[in-house]
Coordinates of all heavy atoms in Angstrom, one line a residue:
D120 N -7.9 -9.3 -30.9 CA -8.8 -10.4 -31.1 C -9.7 -10.6 -29.9 O -9.2 -11.0 -28.9 CB -7.9 -11.6 -31.3 CG -8.6 -13.0 -31.4 OD1 -9.9 -12.9 -31.2 OD2 -8.0 -14.0 -31.6
A121 N -11.0 -10.3 -30.1 CA -11.9 -10.2 -28.9 C -12.0 -11.6 -28.3 O -12.5 -11.8 -27.2 CB -13.2 -9.7 -29.4
A122 N -11.7 -12.7 -29.1 CA -11.8 -14.0 -28.6 C -10.7 -14.4 -27.7 O -10.7 -15.4 -27.0 CB -12.0 -15.0 -29.7
N123 N -9.6 -13.6 -27.7 CA -8.5 -13.8 -26.8 C -8.1 -12.4 -26.2 O -6.9 -12.0 -26.3 CB -7.3 -14.3 -27.7 CG -7.5 -15.7 -28.1 OD1 -7.6 -16.6 -27.2 ND2 -7.6 -15.9 -29.4
L124 N -9.1 -11.8 -25.6 CA -8.9 -10.5 -25.1 C -7.7 -10.3 -24.2 O -6.9 -9.4 -24.4 CB -10.2 -10.1 -24.4 CG -10.4 -8.6 -24.2 CD1 -10.4 -7.8 -25.5 CD2 -11.7 -8.3 -23.5
E125 N -7.6 -11.2 -23.2 CA -6.6 -11.0 -22.2 C -5.2 -11.0 -22.8 O -4.4 -10.1 -22.5 CB -6.7 -12.0 -21.1 CG -5.9 -11.7 -19.9 CD -6.5 -12.2 -18.6 OE1 -7.6 -12.7 -18.6 OE2 -5.8 -12.1 -17.6
R126 N -4.9 -11.9 -23.7 CA -3.6 -12.0 -24.3 C -3.3 -10.8 -25.1 O -2.3 -10.2 -25.1 CB -3.5 -13.3 -25.1 CG -2.1 -13.6 -25.5 CD -2.0 -14.8 -26.4 NE -2.6 -14.4 -27.7 CZ -3.1 -15.4 -28.5 NH1 -3.0 -16.6 -28.2 NH2 -3.6 -15.0 -29.7
N127 N -4.4 -10.4 -25.9 CA -4.2 -9.2 -26.8 C -4.0 -7.9 -26.1 O -3.3 -7.0 -26.6 CB -5.4 -9.1 -27.8 CG -5.3 -10.1 -28.9 OD1 -5.1 -9.7 -30.1 ND2 -5.3 -11.4 -28.7
L128 N -4.6 -7.8 -24.9 CA -4.6 -6.5 -24.3 C -3.2 -6.2 -23.6 O -2.9 -5.1 -23.3 CB -5.6 -6.4 -23.2 CG -7.1 -6.2 -23.7 CD1 -8.0 -6.1 -22.5 CD2 -7.2 -4.9 -24.5
Y129 N -2.3 -7.3 -23.6 CA -1.0 -7.1 -23.1 C -0.3 -6.0 -23.9 O 0.4 -5.1 -23.4 CB -0.2 -8.4 -23.0 CG 1.1 -8.3 -22.3 CD1 1.1 -8.3 -20.9 CD2 2.3 -8.2 -23.0 CE1 2.4 -8.2 -20.3 CE2 3.5 -8.1 -22.4 CZ 3.5 -8.1 -21.0 OH 4.7 -8.0 -20.3
L130 N -0.4 -6.2 -25.3 CA 0.2 -5.2 -26.2 C -0.5 -3.9 -26.0 O 0.2 -2.8 -26.0 CB 0.0 -5.7 -27.6 CG 0.5 -4.8 -28.7 CD1 2.0 -4.7 -28.6 CD2 0.1 -5.3 -30.1
T131 N -1.8 -3.9 -25.8 CA -2.5 -2.6 -25.6 C -1.9 -1.8 -24.4 O -1.7 -0.6 -24.4 CB -4.0 -2.9 -25.3 OG1 -4.5 -3.7 -26.3 CG2 -4.8 -1.6 -25.3
A132 N -1.7 -2.6 -23.3 CA -1.1 -2.0 -22.1 C 0.2 -1.3 -22.4 O 0.5 -0.2 -22.0 CB -0.9 -3.0 -21.0
Q133 N 1.0 -2.0 -23.3 CA 2.3 -1.4 -23.6 C 2.2 -0.2 -24.5 O 3.0 0.7 -24.4 CB 3.2 -2.5 -24.3 CG 3.7 -3.5 -23.3 CD 4.8 -4.4 -23.9 OE1 4.6 -4.9 -25.0 NE2 5.9 -4.6 -23.2
I134 N 1.2 -0.2 -25.4 CA 1.0 1.0 -26.2 C 0.5 2.1 -25.4 O 1.0 3.3 -25.5 CB -0.1 0.7 -27.4 CG1 0.4 -0.5 -28.2 CG2 -0.3 1.9 -28.2 CD1 -0.6 -0.9 -29.3
L135 N -0.4 1.8 -24.4 CA -0.8 2.9 -23.5 C 0.4 3.5 -22.8 O 0.4 4.7 -22.6 CB -1.8 2.3 -22.4 CG -3.2 2.1 -22.9 CD1 -4.0 1.4 -21.7 CD2 -3.9 3.4 -23.3
E136 N 1.3 2.7 -22.4 CA 2.5 3.2 -21.7 C 3.3 4.2 -22.5 O 4.0 5.0 -22.0 CB 3.4 2.0 -21.3 CG 2.9 1.2 -20.1 CD 4.0 0.3 -19.6 OE1 4.1 -0.8 -20.2 OE2 4.8 0.6 -18.7
T137 N 3.2 4.1 -23.9 CA 4.0 5.0 -24.7 C 3.3 6.4 -24.7 O 3.9 7.4 -25.1 CB 4.1 4.5 -26.2 OG1 2.8 4.6 -26.7 CG2 4.7 3.2 -26.3
G138 N 2.1 6.4 -24.2 CA 1.3 7.7 -24.2 C 0.7 8.1 -25.5 O 0.2 9.2 -25.7
T139 N 0.8 7.2 -26.5 CA 0.2 7.5 -27.8 C -1.3 7.3 -27.8 O -1.8 6.3 -27.2 CB 0.7 6.5 -28.9 OG1 2.2 6.4 -28.7 CG2 0.4 7.0 -30.3
P140 N -2.1 8.2 -28.3 CA -3.6 8.0 -28.3 C -3.9 6.8 -29.1 O -3.2 6.5 -30.1 CB -4.1 9.3 -29.0 CG -3.0 10.3 -29.0 CD -1.7 9.5 -28.9
L141 N -4.9 6.1 -28.7 CA -5.3 4.9 -29.5 C -6.8 4.7 -29.7 O -7.6 5.2 -28.8 CB -4.6 3.7 -29.0 CG -4.9 3.0 -27.7 CD1 -6.0 2.1 -27.8 CD2 -3.7 2.3 -27.2
I142 N -7.1 4.0 -30.7 CA -8.5 3.5 -30.9 C -8.4 2.0 -30.8 O -7.5 1.4 -31.4 CB -9.1 3.9 -32.3 CG1 -9.3 5.4 -32.4 CG2 -10.4 3.1 -32.5 CD1 -9.8 5.8 -33.7
L143 N -9.3 1.4 -30.0 CA -9.2 -0.1 -29.8 C -10.3 -0.7 -30.7 O -11.4 -0.4 -30.6 CB -9.5 -0.4 -28.4 CG -9.2 -1.9 -28.0 CD1 -7.7 -2.1 -27.8 CD2 -10.0 -2.3 -26.8
V144 N -9.8 -1.6 -31.6 CA -10.7 -2.3 -32.5 C -10.9 -3.8 -32.0 O -9.9 -4.5 -31.9 CB -10.2 -2.4 -33.9 CG1 -11.1 -3.2 -34.8 CG2 -10.0 -1.0 -34.4
M145 N -12.1 -4.1 -31.5 CA -12.3 -5.4 -31.0 C -12.8 -6.3 -32.2 O -14.0 -6.4 -32.5 CB -13.4 -5.4 -30.0 CG -12.9 -5.1 -28.6 SD -14.0 -5.8 -27.4 CE -15.5 -5.0 -27.9
N146 N -11.8 -6.8 -32.9 CA -12.1 -7.6 -34.1 C -12.5 -9.1 -33.6 O -12.3 -9.4 -32.5 CB -10.9 -7.6 -35.0 CG -11.3 -8.1 -36.4 OD1 -12.4 -7.8 -36.9 ND2 -10.4 -8.8 -37.0
M147 N -12.9 -9.9 -34.6 CA -13.2 -11.3 -34.3 C -14.4 -11.3 -33.3 O -14.5 -12.3 -32.5 CB -12.0 -12.0 -33.7 CG -10.8 -11.9 -34.6 SD -10.8 -13.2 -35.8 CE -9.2 -12.9 -36.6
S148 N -15.2 -10.3 -33.3 CA -16.3 -10.3 -32.2 C -17.3 -11.4 -32.5 O -18.0 -11.8 -31.6 CB -16.9 -9.0 -32.1 OG -17.2 -8.4 -33.3
D149 N -17.3 -11.9 -33.8 CA -18.2 -13.0 -34.1 C -17.7 -14.3 -33.4 O -18.5 -15.0 -32.8 CB -18.3 -13.3 -35.6 CG -16.9 -13.4 -36.3 OD1 -15.9 -12.9 -35.7 OD2 -16.8 -14.0 -37.4
V150 N -16.4 -14.5 -33.4 CA -15.8 -15.6 -32.7 C -16.0 -15.5 -31.2 O -16.4 -16.5 -30.6 CB -14.3 -15.7 -33.0 CG1 -13.7 -17.0 -32.4 CG2 -14.1 -15.7 -34.5
A151 N -15.8 -14.3 -30.7 CA -16.0 -14.1 -29.3 C -17.4 -14.5 -28.8 O -17.6 -15.1 -27.8 CB -15.7 -12.7 -28.9
E152 N -18.3 -14.0 -29.7 CA -19.7 -14.3 -29.3 C -20.1 -15.7 -29.4 O -20.7 -16.3 -28.5 CB -20.6 -13.5 -30.4 CG -21.8 -12.9 -29.8 CD -22.4 -11.8 -30.7 OE1 -21.8 -10.7 -30.7 OE2 -23.3 -12.2 -31.5
S153 N -19.5 -16.4 -30.4 CA -19.8 -17.8 -30.5 C -19.3 -18.6 -29.3 O -19.7 -19.7 -29.0 CB -19.3 -18.4 -31.8 OG -17.9 -18.5 -31.7
R154 N -18.3 -18.0 -28.7 CA -17.7 -18.7 -27.5 C -18.4 -18.3 -26.2 O -18.0 -18.7 -25.1 CB -16.2 -18.4 -27.3 CG -15.4 -19.0 -28.4 CD -13.9 -19.0 -28.1 NE -13.1 -19.4 -29.2 CZ -11.8 -19.1 -29.3 NH1 -11.2 -18.5 -28.3 NH2 -11.2 -19.5 -30.4
G155 N -19.4 -17.4 -26.4 CA -20.2 -17.1 -25.2 C -19.6 -15.9 -24.4 O -19.9 -15.8 -23.2
Y156 N -18.7 -15.2 -25.0 CA -18.1 -14.0 -24.3 C -19.0 -12.8 -24.4 O -19.5 -12.5 -25.5 CB -16.7 -13.6 -24.8 CG -15.7 -14.7 -24.7 CD1 -14.5 -14.6 -25.5 CD2 -15.8 -15.8 -23.9 CE1 -13.5 -15.5 -25.4 CE2 -14.9 -16.7 -23.8 CZ -13.7 -16.6 -24.5 OH -12.7 -17.6 -24.4
K157 N -19.2 -12.2 -23.3 CA -19.9 -10.9 -23.4 C -18.9 -9.8 -22.9 O -18.5 -9.8 -21.8 CB -21.1 -10.9 -22.4 CG -22.4 -11.5 -23.0 CD -23.5 -11.4 -22.0 CE -24.4 -10.2 -22.4 NZ -25.6 -10.6 -23.1
I158 N -18.6 -8.9 -23.8 CA -17.7 -7.8 -23.5 C -18.4 -6.5 -23.4 O -19.2 -6.1 -24.3 CB -16.6 -7.7 -24.6 CG1 -15.8 -9.1 -24.7 CG2 -15.6 -6.6 -24.2 CD1 -14.9 -9.2 -25.8
D159 N -18.3 -5.9 -22.2 CA -18.9 -4.6 -22.0 C -18.0 -3.5 -22.6 O -17.0 -3.2 -21.9 CB -19.1 -4.4 -20.5 CG -19.9 -3.2 -20.2 OD1 -19.8 -2.2 -20.9 OD2 -20.6 -3.2 -19.1
E160 N -18.4 -3.1 -23.8 CA -17.5 -2.1 -24.4 C -17.3 -0.8 -23.6 O -16.2 -0.2 -23.6 CB -18.1 -1.7 -25.8 CG -17.9 -2.7 -26.9 CD -18.8 -2.4 -28.0 OE1 -18.7 -1.3 -28.6 OE2 -19.7 -3.2 -28.2
G161 N -18.4 -0.4 -23.0 CA -18.4 0.9 -22.2 C -17.3 0.7 -21.1 O -16.5 1.6 -21.0
K162 N -17.4 -0.4 -20.4 CA -16.4 -0.6 -19.3 C -15.0 -0.7 -19.8 O -14.1 -0.1 -19.3 CB -16.8 -1.8 -18.5 CG -17.8 -1.6 -17.5 CD -17.8 -2.7 -16.5 CE -18.9 -2.5 -15.4 NZ -19.5 -3.7 -14.9
L163 N -14.9 -1.4 -20.9 CA -13.6 -1.6 -21.5 C -12.9 -0.3 -21.8 O -11.8 0.0 -21.5 CB -13.7 -2.5 -22.8 CG -12.4 -2.9 -23.4 CD1 -11.6 -3.8 -22.5 CD2 -12.8 -3.8 -24.7
S164 N -13.7 0.6 -22.5 CA -13.3 1.9 -22.9 C -12.9 2.7 -21.6 O -11.8 3.3 -21.5 CB -14.4 2.6 -23.7 OG -14.2 4.0 -23.6
E165 N -13.8 2.7 -20.6 CA -13.6 3.4 -19.4 C -12.3 3.0 -18.7 O -11.5 3.8 -18.3 CB -14.8 3.2 -18.5 CG -15.2 4.2 -17.6 CD -16.4 3.8 -16.8 OE1 -17.4 3.3 -17.4 OE2 -16.4 3.9 -15.6

Side-chain angles (χ1 to χ4, degrees):
D120 172 356
N123 288 296
L124 194 59
E125 189 148 355
R126 191 186 67 203
N127 278 248
L128 285 179
Y129 188 80
L130 179 67
T131 311
Q133 285 190 315
I134 299 173
L135 283 176
E136 283 191 277
T137 66
T139 316
L141 67 85
I142 292 178
L143 192 80
V144 178
M145 278 206 301
N146 194 37
M147 308 272 181
S148 47
D149 52 338
V150 182
E152 219 161 277
S153 73
R154 290 194 192 164
Y156 296 166
K157 275 183 99 101
I158 300 171
D159 185 332
E160 282 163 65
K162 275 195 180 152
L163 189 58
S164 156
E165 209 179 313

